[in-house]
């Protein structure tokens, strides 16, 4: 476990602001996603909820989502050397502050105090698990519509890590989503570490930012000194709170897993889908698809490419336009039925070919200066996706373009979602993002393969 003290100077917010943190994928939580969903948040101490997830709670409250908050301890051990306030007195103060913060966030009466000892939650893990399981049972419905929110499992504080681990176990057992919110991580970690690169952010409205700030300030015993005596200093200094005054919140996100399908499953599934309808996703007629295709083509940084590869071409609507930008072009898909339509669309384009391959188990020979992976990555298991990125790294010429485009909502029956696919690409390839475009429904990102480094 990480060792740190709240008195450490730690990493300044300016370092995080200068990193690529603001460019990580967005957590899609619009009104459509929130309808019919339930969120259960675990807080180890009063103020954890406001710091790590106050904006999220304001969003949920404003949208009328079902929310329940479980506060595990009163935080009575926050000032162990206080000469003016006993732990019992501090517990009463902090519980009142927590209630005030909940009211600010629109959640008055929607929280429960478990009355467990501050700093010793690991000893009471069974009690936490039982209380969380009972809370889950109070909200019947499809398991994938319930999301647990808990402190980050590797936050460095033993109480936070206990709650994060319990929440992960309950989420796994019940098939629920999991959002983990970092708190102390921002103090002891640095942007050079990799964990945050897989996370997602929730952009906050001005109203949500104001509600979060008011909730943080409601915890007066933590943001202000208890007195002027040594041992009564403020724990949450202005420098530390700067990490939580961003216009977004950051979470480690794992959406519900309802299956363990892989590329092999996709081959049969999409043969059946394409057999039932000539254009099952409305590629030709849907304005959404036509607009997304236009944005995809516009995002390509070069007017022409020598050799292009499209992974997962389906019926070839995007393929036909990509082929016009490439001297040679190969479109591959696992579905033989879909490839019949793709081959017809590519027939007028000299140097273009459609070929049935189940990627990443099968991979074409040759090198490419353009590789496009659109709406495909989440149909792979994580290990398969890692293998796909390894193939891409070997096949893309230096300076070549990789373009990824994916739907940003959970894909029923598959383990990954679009934002996770892009986060894994950044982590696996470690290539800089050349361009990034996100909106509520999809994320579009380009990468440039690194040029070789020549010795002096």
């Amino acid at each position: 476990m990480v060792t740190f003290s709240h008195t450490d100077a730690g990493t300044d917010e300016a370092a995080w602001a200068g990193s690529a943190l603001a460019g990580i994928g967005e957590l899609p939580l619009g009104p459509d996603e929130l309808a019919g969903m339930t969120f259960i948040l675990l807080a180890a101490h009063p103020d954890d909820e406001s710091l790590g997830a106050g904006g999220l709670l304001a969003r949920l409250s404003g949208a009328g989502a079902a929310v329940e908050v479980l506060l595990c301890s009163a935080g009575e051990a926050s000032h162990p050397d206080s000469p003016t306030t006993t732990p019992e007195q501090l517990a009463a103060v902090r519980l009142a502050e927590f209630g005030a913060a909940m009211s600010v966030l629109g959640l008055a009466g929607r929280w429960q105090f478990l009355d467990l000892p501050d700093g010793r939650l690991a000893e009471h893990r069974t009690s936490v698990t039982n209380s969380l399981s009972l809370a889950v049972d109070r909200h019947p419905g499809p398991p994938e519509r319930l999301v647990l929110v808990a402190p980050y499992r590797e936050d460095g504080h033993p109480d936070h890590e206990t709650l994060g681990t319990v929440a992960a176990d309950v989420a796994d057992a019940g098939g629920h989503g999991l959002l983990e919110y970092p708190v102390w991580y921002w103090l002891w970690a640095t942007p050079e570490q990799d964990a945050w690169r897989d996370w997602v952010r929730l952009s906050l409205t001005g109203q949500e930012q104001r509600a979060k700030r008011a909730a943080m300030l409601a915890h007066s015993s933590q943001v202000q000194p208890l007195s002027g005596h040594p041992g009564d200093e403020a724990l949450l200094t202005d420098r530390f709170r700067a990490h939580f005054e961003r216009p977004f919140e950051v979470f480690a996100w794992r959406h519900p897993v309802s299956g363990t399908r892989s590329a092999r499953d996709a081959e049969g599934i999409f043969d059946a889908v394409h057999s039932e309808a000539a254009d099952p996703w409305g590629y030709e007629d849907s304005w959404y698809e036509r607009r997304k295709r236009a944005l995809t083509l516009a995002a390509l940084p070069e007017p022409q490419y020598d050799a292009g590869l499209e992974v997962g071409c389906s019926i070839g609507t995007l393929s036909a336009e990509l082929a016009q930008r490439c001297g040679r072009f190969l479109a591959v898909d696992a579905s033989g039925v879909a490839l019949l339509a793709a081959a017809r669309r590519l027939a007028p384009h000299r140097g273009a070919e459609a070929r049935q391959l189940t990627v990443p188990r099968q991979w074409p020979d040759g090198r490419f200066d353009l590789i496009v992976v659109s709406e495909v990555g989440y149909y792979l298991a994580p290990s398969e996706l890692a293998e796909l990125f390894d193939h891409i790294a070997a096949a893309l010429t230096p300076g070549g373009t990789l373009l990824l485009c994916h739907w940003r909502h959970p894909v029923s029956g598959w383990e990954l979602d679009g934002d996770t696919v892009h986060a894994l690409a950044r982590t696996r390839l470690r290539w800089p993002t050349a361009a990034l475009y996100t909106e509520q429904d999809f994320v579009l990102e380009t990468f440039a393969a690194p040029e070789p480094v020549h010795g002096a």
Side-chain angles (χ1 to χ4, degrees):
M1 181 181 292
V2 176
T3 300
F4 69 91
S5 167
H6 71 274
T7 59
D8 294 343
T11 302
D12 191 85
E13 176 58 17
W16 290 109
S19 72
L21 185 64
I24 61 176
E26 185 82 13
L27 176 67
L29 273 184
D32 293 341
E33 288 73 30
L34 293 176
M37 292 188 70
T38 296
F39 293 78
I40 301 175
L41 182 140
L42 283 169
H45 321 97
D47 73 25
D48 291 341
E49 80 300 327
S50 298
L51 293 167
L56 170 67
L57 292 175
R59 164 92 39 105
L60 299 178
S61 172
V67 183
E68 184 171 349
V69 178
L70 302 182
L71 174 63
C72 293
S73 84
E76 66 277 6
S78 67
H79 289 74
D81 300 319
S82 173
T84 65
T85 310
T86 67
E88 293 74 20
Q89 291 171 328
L90 190 55
V93 168
R94 297 201 67 185
L95 284 175
E97 292 171 349
F98 184 82
M102 288 291 96
S103 296
V104 167
L105 296 172
L107 297 173
R110 295 163 74 177
W111 59 279
Q112 178 184 359
F113 177 46
L114 304 187
D115 200 11
L116 300 174
D118 183 5
R120 294 165 49 201
L121 296 186
E123 302 171 25
H124 298 268
R125 177 170 173 161
T126 299
S127 295
V128 176
T129 301
N130 291 341
S131 295
L132 180 57
S133 298
L134 287 172
V136 169
D137 292 342
R138 286 194 289 271
H139 299 277
E144 67 273 11
R145 302 296 291 168
L146 188 147
V147 177
L148 305 182
V149 187
Y152 177 46
R153 274 172 284 178
E154 298 181 28
D155 202 41
H157 190 297
D159 284 351
H160 292 197
E161 298 194 355
T162 295
L163 296 194
T165 303
V166 167
D169 290 345
V170 173
D172 284 343
H176 310 301
L178 176 65
L179 281 170
E180 298 177 63
Y181 57 91
V183 177
W184 292 107
Y185 176 88
W186 305 118
L187 175 77
W188 59 259
T190 67
E192 288 69 38
Q193 293 166 295
D194 285 335
W196 61 270
R197 297 179 188 277
D198 291 342
W199 298 349
V200 293
R201 64 190 173 96
L202 176 68
S203 294
L204 304 177
T205 66
Q207 183 175 353
E208 290 162 353
Q209 291 179 64
R210 289 190 291 273
K212 174 174 180 165
R213 179 174 175 77
M216 289 193 296
L217 295 178
H219 296 280
S220 302
S221 66
Q222 307 301 296
V223 300
Q224 298 175 7
L226 295 177
S227 76
H229 298 288
D232 277 352
E233 296 85 0
L235 266 66
L236 305 180
T237 63
D238 292 347
R239 177 186 170 93
F240 179 66
R241 293 203 311 276
H243 298 308
F244 307 97
E245 294 174 349
R246 304 164 180 155
F248 58 88
E249 288 179 334
V250 180
F251 300 90
W253 164 234
R254 190 176 69 208
H255 71 76
V257 177
S258 54
T260 55
R261 291 172 174 170
S262 67
R264 290 178 182 270
D265 301 304
E267 182 176 349
I269 290 170
F270 292 120
D271 266 345
V273 167
H274 287 98
S275 295
E276 293 174 0
D279 185 7
W281 286 282
Y283 289 131
E284 294 182 297
D285 301 324
S286 162
W287 169 241
Y288 167 79
E289 291 293 343
R290 288 159 48 206
R291 174 175 170 271
K292 185 179 64 174
R293 192 158 60 247
L295 288 167
T296 298
L297 294 163
L300 297 176
E302 303 297 334
Q304 291 293 133
Y305 292 88
D306 292 332
L309 169 66
E310 182 187 6
V311 177
C313 64
S314 185
I315 61 175
T317 48
L318 176 61
S319 312
E321 298 193 60
L322 290 171
Q324 299 177 41
R325 305 268 294 268
C326 299
R328 292 182 296 109
F329 181 75
L330 175 61
V332 304
D333 200 279
S335 169
V337 177
L339 279 171
L340 294 174
R344 287 194 295 270
R345 285 186 168 85
L346 289 175
H349 301 283
R350 189 175 179 180
E353 176 189 0
R355 188 185 308 169
Q356 185 175 11
L357 294 176
T358 301
V359 173
R361 177 169 52 88
Q362 299 170 311
W363 186 259
D365 295 330
R367 302 268 281 173
F368 306 90
D369 56 347
L370 171 65
I371 298 179
V372 174
V373 182
S374 181
E375 309 292 9
V376 174
Y378 34 63
Y379 296 126
L380 304 178
S383 61
E384 293 175 326
L385 188 61
E387 185 179 351
L388 171 64
F389 291 137
D390 289 345
H391 281 308
I392 289 171
L396 195 61
T397 59
T401 299
L402 168 63
L403 184 145
L404 305 180
C405 183
H406 289 87
W407 174 252
R408 300 188 60 219
H409 308 279
V411 183
S412 179
W414 303 87
E415 185 170 354
L416 302 177
D417 60 14
D419 284 322
T420 305
V421 169
H422 285 241
L424 290 174
R426 299 177 199 120
T427 301
R428 189 77 178 185
L429 295 170
R430 301 191 69 83
W431 294 349
T433 295
L436 177 66
Y437 174 78
T438 61
E439 53 182 65
Q440 183 172 315
D441 290 327
F442 69 91
V443 53
L444 174 64
E445 188 168 7
T446 61
F447 300 84
E451 300 282 358
V453 178
H454 300 289

